[in-house]
Structures are given as C-alpha cells and as structure tokens.
C-alpha cells in the first residue's frame, strides 16, 4: 500500500497515511477540519549504472 503525505492549508498540520489506490484522497484535516492538500515529492527509486537498457545486458552471441 502506498504512503501519501498531506498538509492542512489552514493550520499547517502535516502527516503521512497508508492508503490503497482505490481509496479516495483525504480532504478534511483531522486537527482543525480545514482543507487538506496532498504533498508531492520525488520518488525514492533511483536507477544508476549499467544494465537498465536492452543493449546493456544483451550478450554478443544473442544478437
């Protein structure tokens, strides 16, 4: 289940919550009943090095 970050536009309360893809986004702050917004950040996956392209991992005998 993915983790989503939310921040209230009224009081600034920020929190993370585990939600399935089928669940609706939260809209009400649990602290002050203000409007919540999703906080977007960069993904945690980073691809570095060789082997991520078809030509990197193919051997010369399989061509």
């Amino acid at each position: 289940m993915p983790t989503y970050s939310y921040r209230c536009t009224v009081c600034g309360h920020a929190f993370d919550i585990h939600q399935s893809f089928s669940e609706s986004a939260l809209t009400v702050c649990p602290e002050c009943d203000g409007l919540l917004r999703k906080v977007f950040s960069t993904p945690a996956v980073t691809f570095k090095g060789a082997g991520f392209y078809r030509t990197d991992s193919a051997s010369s005998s399989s061509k």
Side-chain angles (χ1 to χ4, degrees):
M1 236 186 305
T3 302
Y4 294 101
S5 298
Y6 289 93
R7 181 179 311 272
C8 179
T9 59
V10 177
C11 70
H13 176 67
F15 61 95
D16 297 332
I17 188 166
H18 296 286
Q19 289 182 292
S20 68
F21 290 112
S22 60
E23 288 183 63
S24 299
L26 299 179
T27 56
V28 179
C29 176
E31 298 288 319
C32 72
D33 294 329
L35 179 65
L36 282 179
R37 301 291 295 199
K38 272 189 181 178
V39 178
F40 295 98
S41 60
T42 58
V45 178
T46 304
F47 297 103
K48 294 183 179 180
F52 295 105
Y53 297 97
R54 195 181 106 186
T55 56
D56 288 344
S57 60
S59 65
S60 58
S61 62
S62 65
K63 289 183 181 176

